Amino acid sequence: MTHDASASPLIVGGGAQSPRAVLPVLPPLALYIHIPWCVRKCPYCDFNSHTASPVLPEEEYVDALLADLDQDLHAVHGRELSSIFFGGGTPSLFSAQALGRLLEGVQQRIPFASDIEITLEANPGTFEQEKFIAYRALGINRLSIGIQSFQQEKLEALGRIHNGDEAVRAAGMARQAGFDNFNLDLMHGLPNQSLDDALSDLRQAIALKPTHISWYQLTLEPNTVFWNQPPTLPEDDTLWDIQEAGQALLAEHGYAQYEVSAYAQPGRPARHNLNYWSFGDFIGIGAGAHGKLSHPDGRIVRTWKTRLPKDYLNPAKSFKAGEKALSNDEMPFEFLMNALRLTEGVESRLYPERTGMSLESLAEGRHEAEQSGLLQVEPSRLAATERGQLFLNDLLQTFLT
């Protein structure tokens, strides 16, 4: 089903104060696929990941993923997939044969854009040259490699199973396997980390010439080992010095910051993540996967799937754990918590296009944020100031109703 933009606008939700119109055009559509198994659970990780058994249920899980996707096909509305992201867990634990069957099944159900970006998360400890050549042959054209640090002491503190040499080799193997587009995932603010330690990690990452670097501060999240047994983290002054010096080093080497923790060479930002941050749509399949789907009648629905792999694979249980249609009151915050992560923000026109609501519904919060110096005074764009990027939570609070 496709949306006829010439149809009479239908008002949905809300009251007379803030009506919501039919979306003039549906946003781009992406697919997120969650593979929930890891070799070992890291003490800082709050993602839906589970220690893998010696033999993974690849066949059963691929069958479940395709059946899960079948139940979400009603939300495609004639669109093609602009990107696919395999996240986890550690998706590279799956064989190329299993991922190939899955991709073939997806493409039979939803057409792929001619320039589709397909990203696979991988850890250095799971790199095998032949396997990654086979992944590339499937059409997977981007890797995201979870390095976190190159220093043995820091890797051990983080519970990582690879060492620094493996991390360096992984980047070389990615390139040899035909991946000319790959991300290195790196953390800072690690236990007992100094400024020199952090910059050493960053210099090593830059030397490997990835097209993209995700560089973000370690945070202690609830329901993790680190939350219950906190390590000694750097002082705030050190964290600030690391942030400033690291950003300068990345810029010096041609990595432009386009999002809070994402830096890319020219033309190489992650298109899948850009779709998230610009309030695009994405189907989420797999244990614990989340989705966000717009419908021609103006409804915007967030979905989440059954979290535990054993429940997800149980035919007696539903794939979908829940869904929630966004209300008019929630829309400003929902849109802006994504869009304002982008350093350049988004064009103002994207708000009515993606939400069906008028810019007037942002007026009060926008004025307050501009007066506070957190939002740029620029009618054609919605973008945080440098101060607003540093205090993003404070900025978003002005749009809560």
Side-chain angles (χ1 to χ4, degrees):
M1 177 180 173
T2 55
H3 175 53
D4 179 5
S6 65
S8 300
L10 171 71
I11 304 302
V12 298
Q17 294 297 320
S18 55
R20 192 157 94 231
V22 164
L23 300 180
V25 63
L26 291 178
L29 181 65
L31 175 65
Y32 174 76
I33 302 171
H34 193 77
I35 311 286
W37 292 284
C38 282
V39 174
R40 186 169 70 195
K41 179 84 171 178
C42 296
Y44 59 86
C45 178
D46 70 336
F47 295 136
N48 185 32
S49 59
H50 306 266
T51 302
S53 57
V55 178
L56 288 173
E58 286 189 341
E59 289 296 307
E60 298 92 329
Y61 197 69
V62 169
D63 287 342
L65 287 168
L66 292 173
D68 186 0
L69 180 59
D70 283 336
Q71 294 185 9
D72 281 339
L73 290 181
H74 69 279
V76 173
H77 300 299
R79 290 174 288 180
E80 60 185 17
L81 285 177
S82 59
S83 64
I84 298 174
F85 194 101
F86 289 93
T90 307
S92 54
L93 291 176
F94 266 38
S95 67
Q97 181 182 3
L99 295 187
R101 186 166 75 86
L102 175 56
L103 283 172
E104 183 179 352
V106 172
Q107 192 167 20
Q108 287 170 354
R109 290 160 171 81
I110 312 175
F112 289 5
S114 58
D115 62 346
I116 190 170
E117 175 192 88
I118 305 178
T119 302
L120 179 82
E121 284 187 340
N123 287 330
T126 64
F127 262 77
E128 301 168 24
Q129 187 69 33
E130 289 184 7
K131 183 193 271 190
F132 280 80
I133 291 171
Y135 286 157
R136 185 66 190 90
L138 297 176
I140 296 170
N141 52 22
R142 185 175 181 272
L143 290 178
S144 181
I145 307 171
I147 302 290
Q148 314 315 352
S149 176
F150 293 93
Q151 297 164 34
Q152 191 59 33
E153 176 194 349
K154 301 297 185 287
L155 289 167
E156 288 176 3
L158 293 173
R160 305 294 287 173
I161 61 171
H162 67 271
N163 59 43
D165 289 341
E166 285 177 311
V168 171
R169 284 200 301 273
M173 289 168 66
R175 192 170 277 108
Q176 289 167 23
F179 290 95
D180 62 356
N181 190 13
F182 65 93
N183 168 65
L184 296 184
D185 223 43
L186 207 62
M187 298 170 73
H188 60 88
L190 304 180
N192 301 306
Q193 188 178 49
S194 67
L195 172 62
D196 287 345
D197 288 339
L199 293 183
S200 172
D201 269 348
L202 207 45
R203 288 192 187 96
Q204 177 63 82
I206 290 167
L208 296 173
K209 294 182 168 52
T211 49
H212 190 285
I213 296 177
S214 296
W215 187 63
Y216 53 95
Q217 185 179 322
L218 170 65
T219 55
L220 305 186
E221 302 289 352
N223 303 314
T224 65
V225 172
F226 274 3
W227 181 263
N228 296 311
Q229 302 169 32
T232 302
L233 298 182
E235 298 289 335
D236 286 346
D237 286 349
T238 302
L239 291 173
W240 182 252
D241 290 344
I242 289 172
Q243 186 74 31
E244 283 200 315
Q247 287 178 329
L249 183 63
L250 285 158
E252 178 188 336
H253 288 273
Y255 291 91
Q257 183 181 14
Y258 69 95
E259 188 266 342
V260 170
S261 58
Y263 303 78
Q265 292 180 342
R268 294 295 196 163
R271 280 190 280 149
H272 186 83
N273 289 342
L274 278 177
N275 187 51
Y276 285 158
W277 297 321
S278 58
F279 215 53
D281 277 1
F282 53 99
I283 294 173
I285 59 173
H290 286 243
K292 177 252 169 186
L293 297 164
S294 306
H295 297 273
D297 62 7
R299 286 177 304 122
I300 298 175
V301 180
R302 291 204 179 276
T303 65
W304 54 97
K305 302 298 172 67
T306 297
R307 186 173 173 84
L308 292 177
K310 66 179 180 64
D311 292 336
Y312 186 82
L313 288 169
N314 184 346
K317 293 183 180 288
S318 172
F319 294 123
K320 186 180 289 183
E323 66 175 43
K324 181 186 188 315
L326 298 180
S327 70
N328 287 6
D329 288 344
E330 294 169 314
M331 203 65 72
F333 182 84
E334 287 280 335
F335 179 88
L336 292 170
M337 76 171 176
N338 291 284
L340 294 180
R341 287 183 63 93
L342 295 167
T343 54
E344 294 186 2
V346 297
E347 292 183 43
S348 297
R349 63 171 178 78
L350 203 64
Y351 180 72
E353 281 182 16
R354 298 282 161 93
T355 68
M357 295 180 65
S358 72
L359 279 169
E360 269 302 303
S361 64
L362 294 179
E364 187 177 337
R366 195 172 185 175
H367 178 73
E368 182 183 340
E370 288 172 352
Q371 292 294 105
S372 304
L374 299 174
L375 194 71
Q376 293 182 23
V377 183
E378 193 175 341
S380 66
R381 295 197 74 77
L382 291 162
T385 60
E386 284 189 25
R387 183 166 177 266
Q389 288 169 19
L390 292 172
F391 300 99
L392 192 56
N393 286 340
D394 293 339
L395 170 53
L396 292 172
Q397 288 295 319
T398 63
F399 294 95
L400 278 175
T401 54

